[in-house]
Amino acid sequence: MNIRGMRLSLRLASGLAMGLCGMAANATEGGLGRPVSGTTVQASGGIVPPEPVWAVNFSEIYLDGSIGGSRLVPLVGQTSIGIDAKISFTLATVMKVWDTGPGQWNFASSITVPYVYEKINANLTTGARQGNAQDVASNAFDLYFSPIIAGYHFSQTEHMALSFNFWAPTGKYDPANLANPSLNNWTFVPQIAYTRIFPESGWQLDAVANLQFYTRNKDTDYKNAPLFAMDVMGVKKFSNGVGAGLIVGTVQQIGGDSGPTADRLNGFKGHDWALGPVVSYDTKLGGKAPLSMSLRWVPTVSSKNRIDSRKTVMATATLIF
């Protein structure tokens, strides 16, 4: 397969959504932050094709989890004994691959518009409200931008993409609410994605790693520590367009959170691991436009001070034209 042929390869269909990150309300100040382990990696995420194309991706992420036991959790300037959360994200991503020629470097830009539904149950121990409390939010979430994605082709089968992305606090936020469709901070995300194709065996390896740097939540005086997130996915592609594989993902907090609430909880440092299967299907609409669909289940297998979810599911569909 030559470089030009990569544009027509159906492997690119989901890779063009590589800027997409999972996320959840209430930041590390709520036990999750923006990344959801196992949902960031995309097929062919390291490939920026050499020909100008548009891509549209629709994704749905659902998780149902908790921080149980007697753990104290920071939540909108208060503390809670544990937390239960049901969160659903609907995301639309539009990506433009720029006309930069067939060289080793190619460039793209994207924007993601998310919508969130969340239901939070907490047992508050501080603040104006104490005792059991529940809140629901349903609204537009913070916008996600990837101004420049720079792709480099090591060879016809090995690729890398570098990007600097950021979340803008465009969603509605009220510190009086437990559930908010915003994290109320800017988040800056340098990221690297890698793709290796093994055409003889039909296997493909994709990996993505990023660092997330949060500004302070001015309404709660809570500052999340940086997070390191990494997902790795291996998929076997079959001749009928079906693919099947496995995803492993982790989020590791670097240092402790800061602020009055975080200080009472010794920085609330956390980490988690997720592991689960993924299936995909590649085809062409009208025999021309590549369409890729996938479904993954990535339950938490280990966590500390982060939401533990056995029901993390993600569905995606990407169309290139």
Side-chain angles (χ1 to χ4, degrees), residues 123-299:
N123 185 16
L124 300 176
T125 62
T126 61
R129 290 187 293 176
Q130 297 190 27
N132 293 325
Q134 182 183 105
D135 198 11
V136 175
S138 181
N139 213 323
F141 192 71
D142 296 340
L143 292 175
Y144 181 71
F145 298 90
S146 300
I148 292 294
I149 303 165
Y152 183 79
H153 309 291
F154 295 103
S155 68
Q156 296 178 0
T157 58
E158 188 176 13
H159 315 270
M160 174 186 70
L162 305 172
S163 60
F164 184 81
N165 320 282
F166 65 93
W167 293 92
T170 57
K172 182 180 178 181
Y173 184 86
D174 186 342
N177 298 334
L178 298 181
N180 277 290
S182 173
L183 271 64
N184 201 38
N185 58 42
W186 292 84
T187 307
F188 302 100
V189 188
Q191 178 170 287
I192 180 171
Y194 175 81
T195 294
R196 178 66 187 269
I197 300 168
F198 302 90
E200 298 83 5
S201 63
W203 280 92
Q204 181 169 319
L205 175 69
D206 291 282
V208 61
N210 62 59
L211 289 168
Q212 304 203 7
F213 299 94
Y214 297 81
T215 62
R216 185 175 297 274
N217 182 337
K218 64 182 185 303
D219 289 322
T220 62
D221 196 22
Y222 198 100
K223 176 71 163 57
N224 300 303
L227 298 179
F228 170 77
M230 182 173 70
D231 289 349
V232 179
M233 175 172 67
V235 172
K236 167 71 172 179
K237 300 280 187 173
F238 300 96
S239 58
N240 60 0
V242 174
L246 192 68
I247 295 173
V248 59
T250 185
V251 174
Q252 302 286 329
Q253 185 171 325
I254 303 171
D257 299 339
S258 61
T261 304
D263 293 343
R264 291 198 299 269
L265 301 178
N266 297 317
F268 199 63
K269 186 176 180 180
H271 63 264
D272 66 16
W273 288 87
L275 176 69
V278 58
V279 293
S280 63
Y281 180 68
D282 297 326
T283 186
K284 290 185 179 180
L285 285 183
K288 296 180 179 180
L291 172 66
S292 181
M293 297 171 285
S294 70
L295 179 66
R296 69 186 68 182
W297 172 51
V298 280

Side-chain angles (χ1 to χ4, degrees), residues 25 29 33 72-73 90 117 121 150 169 199 256:
E29 181 191 1
L72 292 177
V73 180
T90 303
Y117 167 85
N121 287 279

Side-chain angles (χ1 to χ4, degrees), residues 74-162:
L75 188 63
V76 288
Q78 306 176 67
T79 56
S80 171
I81 301 177
I83 185 175
D84 295 305
K86 291 181 173 65
I87 305 173
S88 175
F89 288 100
T90 303
L91 308 108
T93 299
V94 178
M95 176 176 286
K96 169 64 176 176
V97 178
W98 302 104
D99 187 2
T100 51
Q104 285 187 293
W105 286 97
N106 297 107
F107 301 90
S109 303
S110 73
I111 181 174
T112 297
V113 180
Y115 190 92
V116 63
Y117 167 85
E118 58 179 329
K119 182 178 180 180
I120 304 295
N121 287 279
N123 185 16
L124 300 176
T125 62
T126 61
R129 290 187 293 176
Q130 297 190 27
N132 293 325
Q134 182 183 105
D135 198 11
V136 175
S138 181
N139 213 323
F141 192 71
D142 296 340
L143 292 175
Y144 181 71
F145 298 90
S146 300
I148 292 294
I149 303 165
Y152 183 79
H153 309 291
F154 295 103
S155 68
Q156 296 178 0
T157 58
E158 188 176 13
H159 315 270
M160 174 186 70
L162 305 172

